[in-house]
């Protein structure tokens, strides 16, 4: 009996030890899992921060470029080659206001070989379904039908108010979608999950239908088709990318020109007019305000509802009074290089007033108010602004346009107009939506995989008659289905760091000078703090540089950063020996801007411009931005690439020589 008890006691102690070991192992696994997940989440977050910071910096470059367009018009010897940016780019009779649908049929033939949808007006649900089927199968809609559709869309939009008022009493829910940015798969997934637009299934699409993605044209065609079929049930707000100058930079113009080689100018001209007629905002049950960007401390909904919205074809070209003021500021304030931020124009000894939209005005100005300026600023604020948790209304330094508005600004507007909720888009959100200002402001972003495959979810909002929002999230899955979490984060991180390294290389000279200021003894090494400070002072991306150091630069055993190692794995592809290092870096940095400018000058879309046009444009560009590059260096470079000596160069081929190559990637793929 005693032996039995002893055996049982031994078994019990063994079981207890095993149980303790299991618990310890479980705790260790749990700690490891939490640590691993925390590190992955940290990598994901800083990768998304890199993407967003570079995106906003690019928007600042676009604002700067739009100022150059105006400067170019004033100084170019051949203004006709540039004026098409601001005037109809061709064939005015094709986009005439009075042109009827029948005349399009006479002017543009549809060949028998065309196998896509054949539209007849007024459109029906069957037509919309045919479009959806065709676009799923990567078919194009013929140019004749595109022009007819756009013409009819303009006619309908012209009858609509600046601010659309809706009521939930006519249906159970209203669905609100945010930015789509040319991602057709997201739109198709929304329709699959939520149903097609109809009288019983109403939608509000809150701007930024186009740019960045490859199917912007298909998205606007689908949205405009449903607008014509259900004008009281599908509603569209204008976004900051429904702007023809923005489209030059972010891909929509190029997409249209490639898909519609014979009629792209007419289509773009008509689209520019259609975009200007899009309503500015939507209000549901007099309580929920829906607009693309945000508000400012001067937002006046009554004023916005009364102005002529179609006069502002592009917010990138401010009224003449603003341009004159900017020119006066430039003359009064000499600078060695252009300011990074529109809102950061500050010089010691000068007192300036900076408006909430980032406009710099001299203090004590007694100039009378300009109505065009007020209209421009009001629309700029609602299309470009972002919410912030801090009270107040300050210039949006990240984007370079619009403002940051705090909870107090939201509360003030709500009290004035008896509102309870603001739904806006305009801003990437990892989960597809975000709630701020104590639940009063909702950001909705509907483009999934925006920066990279797996980078984010998209979402839309369902508003019921009680105006209670319900969020529906989704993510278009292709590669991500076959990747685990670590692989997805690695893909996002790799792409983000690649973009950041290219930006670092494009500012190599400035960064080297900034590093040298901290390297007093010329050792080539500086502290991590000094390295981070130098990176931020030049790039101004507001990134966690200390955290990113291990990915960007090497550190010696003493804990100091070898600052030139930032550039070790990067080089210029196909270096042209005639290009001096400073010139090559400048061309690399402004390659995207120059490509846009040269494409505008290239009237016949041949990819060729004359040496004279190239040199003159380059001199105007460097003069406007304050870039110090010797004229003879660019002249020698241009002559060296005129291979057949016919006085023309292929500018796309030329600019391609000045992009950054990642040496390690090149070795891996070779």
């Amino acid at each position: 009996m005693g032996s039995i008890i002893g055996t049982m006691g031994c078994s019990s102690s063994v079981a207890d030890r095993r149980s303790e070991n299991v618990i310890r192992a479980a705790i260790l696994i749990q700690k490891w899992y939490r640590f691993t997940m925390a590190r992955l989440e940290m990598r994901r977050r800083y990768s998304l921060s890199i993407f967003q910071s570079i995106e906003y910096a690019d928007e600042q470059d676009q604002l700067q470029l739009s100022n150059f367009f105006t400067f170019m018009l004033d100084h170019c010897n051949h203004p006709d080659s540039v004026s098409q940016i601001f005037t109809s780019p061709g064939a005015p009779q094709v986009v005439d206001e009075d042109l009827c649908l029948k005349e399009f049929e006479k002017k543009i033939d549809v060949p028998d070989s065309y196998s896509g949808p054949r539209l007849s007006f007024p459109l029906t649900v069957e037509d919309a379904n045919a479009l959806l089927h065709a676009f799923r199968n990567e078919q194009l809609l013929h140019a004749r039908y595109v022009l007819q559709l756009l013409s009819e869309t303009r006619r309908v939009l012209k009858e609509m108010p600046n601010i659309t008022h809706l009521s939930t009493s006519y249906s159970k829910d209203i669905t609100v979608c945010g930015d789509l940015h040319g991602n057709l798969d997201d739109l198709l997934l929304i329709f699959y999950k939520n149903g097609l637009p109809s009288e019983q299934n109403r939608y509000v699409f809150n701007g930024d239908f186009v740019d960045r993605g490859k199917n912007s044209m298909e998205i606007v065609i689908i949205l405009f088709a449903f607008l014509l079929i259900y004008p009281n049930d599908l509603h569209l707000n204008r976004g900051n990318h429904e702007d023809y100058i923005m489209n030059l930079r972010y891909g929509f113009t190029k997409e249209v020109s490639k898909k519609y080689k014979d009629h792209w100018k007419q289509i773009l001209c008509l689209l520019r007019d259609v975009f200007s007629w899009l309503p500015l905002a939507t209000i549901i049950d007099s309580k929920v305000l829906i607009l693309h960007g945000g508000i400012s401390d001067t937002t006046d909904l009554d004023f916005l509802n009364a102005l002529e919205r179609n006069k502002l074809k592009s917010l990138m070209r401010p009224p003449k009074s603003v341009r004159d003021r900017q020119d006066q500021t430039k003359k009064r304030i000499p600078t060695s290089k252009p300011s990074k931020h529109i809102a950061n124009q500050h010089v010691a000894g000068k007192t300036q007033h900076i408006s909430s939209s980032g406009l710099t005005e001299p203090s004590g100005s007694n100039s009378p108010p300009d109505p065009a300026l007020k209209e421009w600023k009001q629309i700029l604020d609602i299309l470009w602004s972002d919410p912030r948790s801090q009270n107040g209304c300050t210039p949006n330094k990240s984007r370079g346009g619009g403002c940051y508005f705090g909870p107090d600004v939201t509360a003030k507007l709500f009290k004035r107009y008896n509102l309870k909720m603001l739904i806006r888009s305009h801003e990437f959100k990892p989960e597809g939506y975000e709630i701020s200002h104590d639940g009063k402001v909702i950001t909705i972003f509907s483009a999934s995989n925006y920066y990279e495959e797996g980078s984010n979810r998209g979402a839309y909002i369902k508003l019921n008659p009680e105006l209670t929002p319900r969020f529906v999230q989704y993510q278009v899955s292709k590669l991500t289905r076959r990747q685990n979490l670590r692989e997805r984060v690695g893909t996002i991180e790799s792409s983000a760091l690649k973009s950041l390294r290219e930006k670092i290389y494009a500012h190599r000279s400035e960064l080297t000078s900034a590093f040298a200021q901290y390297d007093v003894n010329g050792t080539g090494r500086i502290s991590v703090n000094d390295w981070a400070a130098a990176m931020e002072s030049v790039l101004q991306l507001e990134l966690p540089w200390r955290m990113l150091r291990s990915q960007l630069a090497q550190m010696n055993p003493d804990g100091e950063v070898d600052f030139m190692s930032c550039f070790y794995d990067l080089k210029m592809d196909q270096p042209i020996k005639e290009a001096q290092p400073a010139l090559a870096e400048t061309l690399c940095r402004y390659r995207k801007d120059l490509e846009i400018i040269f494409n505008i000058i290239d009237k016949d879309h041949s990819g060729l411009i004359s040496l004279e046009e190239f040199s003159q444009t380059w001199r105007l560009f460097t003069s406007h931005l304050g870039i110090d590059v010797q004229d003879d260096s660019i002249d020698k470079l241009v002559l060296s690439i005129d291979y057949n000596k016919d006085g023309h160069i292929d500018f796309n081929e030329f600019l391609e020589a000045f992009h950054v190559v990642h040496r390690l990637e090149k070795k891996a793929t070779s």
Side-chain angles (χ1 to χ4, degrees), residues 286-306:
S286 302
K287 294 295 182 183
V288 179
L289 173 64
I290 307 172
L291 42 73
H292 181 70
I295 58 176
S296 74
D297 53 1
T298 60
T299 295
D300 185 335
L301 297 182
D302 298 322
F303 182 83
L304 283 165
N305 199 38

Side-chain angles (χ1 to χ4, degrees), residues 241-394:
H241 277 263
E242 277 67 64
D243 182 307
Y244 69 98
I245 293 183
M246 290 289 285
N247 301 154
L248 285 167
R249 185 183 197 90
Y250 293 103
F252 186 45
T253 299
K254 182 177 286 188
E255 178 189 333
V256 175
S257 66
K258 284 185 175 180
K259 290 180 177 178
Y260 294 97
K261 291 183 171 62
D262 295 330
H263 298 91
W264 66 276
K265 288 185 179 182
Q266 296 96 317
I267 291 171
L268 285 174
C269 182
L270 193 46
L271 272 166
R272 179 171 60 195
D273 209 24
V274 170
F275 285 167
S276 72
W277 281 108
L278 286 168
L280 302 173
T282 301
I283 296 179
I284 300 177
D285 290 345
S286 302
K287 294 295 182 183
V288 179
L289 173 64
I290 307 172
L291 42 73
H292 181 70
I295 58 176
S296 74
D297 53 1
T298 60
T299 295
D300 185 335
L301 297 182
D302 298 322
F303 182 83
L304 283 165
N305 199 38
L307 57 77
E308 295 179 56
R309 66 181 186 270
N310 67 300
K311 289 196 304 184
L312 280 166
K313 298 289 192 285
S314 174
L315 292 171
M316 297 295 94
R317 193 175 187 232
K320 190 173 187 304
S321 58
V322 177
R323 301 199 302 270
D324 290 345
R325 190 174 300 144
Q326 289 171 343
D327 289 342
Q328 290 169 9
T329 303
K330 279 185 180 180
K331 291 175 183 176
R332 188 174 63 253
I333 306 173
T335 57
S336 57
K337 62 179 181 178
S339 170
K340 178 75 175 175
H341 301 300
I342 289 176
N344 279 356
Q345 295 169 348
H346 172 76
V347 174
K350 298 285 183 181
T351 304
Q352 299 175 331
H353 167 68
I354 302 179
S355 75
S356 60
S357 293
L359 298 174
T360 306
E361 301 172 358
S363 63
S365 174
N366 296 318
S367 57
D370 180 3
L373 170 60
K374 184 177 180 181
E375 292 177 354
W376 175 75
K377 182 189 179 303
Q378 286 281 322
I379 298 179
L380 183 77
D381 282 345
I382 65 169
L383 297 192
W384 278 83
S385 297
D386 295 308
R388 285 294 180 268
S389 57
Q390 298 84 5
N391 280 337
C393 188
T394 58

Side-chain angles (χ1 to χ4, degrees), residues 64 336-338 582-583 586-587 589-590 618-619 621-631:
Q64 192 176 68
S336 57
K337 62 179 181 178
L583 175 59
T586 302
L587 287 164
R589 185 186 308 182
Y590 296 105
W618 172 256
R619 288 186 176 90
F621 186 71
T622 53
S623 170
H624 180 70
L625 295 183
I627 301 168
D628 185 19
V629 177
Q630 295 178 350
D631 288 343

Side-chain angles (χ1 to χ4, degrees), residues 1-12:
M1 187 71 177
S3 63
I4 294 173
I5 294 172
T7 303
M8 289 177 63
C10 182
S11 299
S12 176

Side-chain angles (χ1 to χ4, degrees), residues 62-72 316 318 323 326 330 342 624:
Q62 173 60 34
L63 289 165
Q64 192 176 68
L65 181 61
S66 64
N67 291 334
F68 170 69
F69 288 151
T70 303
F71 176 83
M72 196 173 177
M316 297 295 94
R323 301 199 302 270
Q326 289 171 343
K330 279 185 180 180
I342 289 176
H624 180 70

Side-chain angles (χ1 to χ4, degrees), residues 46 49-50 52-54 56-57 60 340-341 344 388 396-399 404 500 532 535-545 548:
Y46 76 57
S49 295
I50 291 170
Q52 194 164 49
S53 295
I54 292 175
Y56 289 174
Q60 292 177 45
K340 178 75 175 175
H341 301 300
N344 279 356
R388 285 294 180 268
N396 194 325
K397 296 187 292 184
S398 295
R399 294 187 189 269
Y404 297 129
L500 181 57
M535 294 292 282
E536 182 58 30
S537 69
V538 172
L539 299 177
Q540 297 184 33
L541 293 175
E542 299 181 1
L543 290 173
W545 295 110
L548 292 169

